[in-house]
Amino acid sequence: MATYIVLLGPPGVGKGTQSGMLARKIGLVHISSGDLFRENIKNQTELGKLAKSFIDKGELVPDDVTIAMIRERISKPDCKNGAILDGFPRTPVQADALKKTLAEFSGQVKAVYITAEEAVLIERTSGRWLCRKQGHVYHEKFNLPKQAGVCDVDGSELYQRDDDKKETVANRIRVYFEQTLPLVEHYRQIGGLIEINGAQDVEQVTKDLLSALKR
Ligand SMILES: [Zn+2]
């Protein structure tokens, strides 16, 4: 039976790594709603043109258009074992609509929530420093330069991009939790939520994920 996984997890929890692993180990195709939009628009499919007409007006693409794209993608042969959905659904209403559509494919829908405490996520996703001359990469915890603020290789000054600053990262993580909480609660209530401790090392997260999916 095909398995459709709604993959949820804040920035820094290793969602990308884990979905790559699921693709290799159980043959699930990774479907990102953003990529689906881009492909459909690029190939000028009917759904792509429709989506573009909303995007051009600065409006959100309606759920039924997105779901139609997902439906079309899932019906391709490479999705016979199932798929990992990334970026959709984002709300309980979208989750219900998706569930109705996936019912046609007689597969099971599972929501997997890989999560960790904010402090862990911030530590993982911030603290990168780059050198001005050649972009050599350092990290304030895991890969310190010999002399603070100076590149070991070429002696140039180290700087931090906004995206790598603690405040920026913390804000991005908070926004994610706020926006995703209703969806997590929705899946928890209907009994379809698998929670994985993403603070563990990558291999352990993978093990937990695979054993939870077998159940
Ligand atoms: Zn350098």
Side-chain angles (χ1 to χ4, degrees), residues 131-138 151-156 158:
C131 98
R132 289 218 186 269
K133 250 187 206 154
Q134 297 178 76
H136 294 115
V137 181
Y138 297 88
C151 178
D152 291 349
V153 184
D154 52 37
S156 73
L158 302 182

Side-chain angles (χ1 to χ4, degrees), residues 70-90:
I70 292 173
R71 192 186 171 286
E72 199 257 312
R73 181 68 190 83
I74 281 174
S75 52
K76 289 185 180 161
D78 63 341
C79 291
K80 67 177 192 314
N81 291 331
I84 301 162
L85 298 175
D86 192 354
F88 191 92
R90 287 188 196 274

Side-chain angles (χ1 to χ4, degrees), residues 196-197 200 203-213:
I196 304 285
N197 175 9
Q200 312 172 94
E203 290 77 19
Q204 191 57 49
V205 174
T206 299
K207 266 189 201 160
D208 287 2
L209 195 48
L210 288 173
S211 71
L213 288 175

Side-chain angles (χ1 to χ4, degrees), residues 162-199:
D162 277 344
D163 269 3
D164 296 326
K165 287 180 182 161
K166 273 207 172 73
E167 313 85 78
T168 316
V169 166
N171 190 48
R172 207 163 62 220
I173 292 166
R174 241 167 261 144
V175 167
Y176 180 87
F177 279 131
E178 269 171 35
Q179 288 178 344
T180 314
L181 194 65
L183 189 59
V184 169
E185 279 305 320
H186 168 83
Y187 282 118
R188 198 174 274 143
Q189 272 169 23
I190 63 172
L193 187 71
I194 296 169
E195 284 187 79
I196 304 285
N197 175 9

Side-chain angles (χ1 to χ4, degrees), residues 7 11 20 25 58 63 96 103 125 132 154 165 173 207 213-215:
L7 191 59
K25 294 216 167 170
D63 293 348
D96 277 337
T125 41
R132 289 218 186 269
D154 52 37
K165 287 180 182 161
I173 292 166
K207 266 189 201 160
L213 288 175
K214 270 185 208 138
R215 266 178 246 136

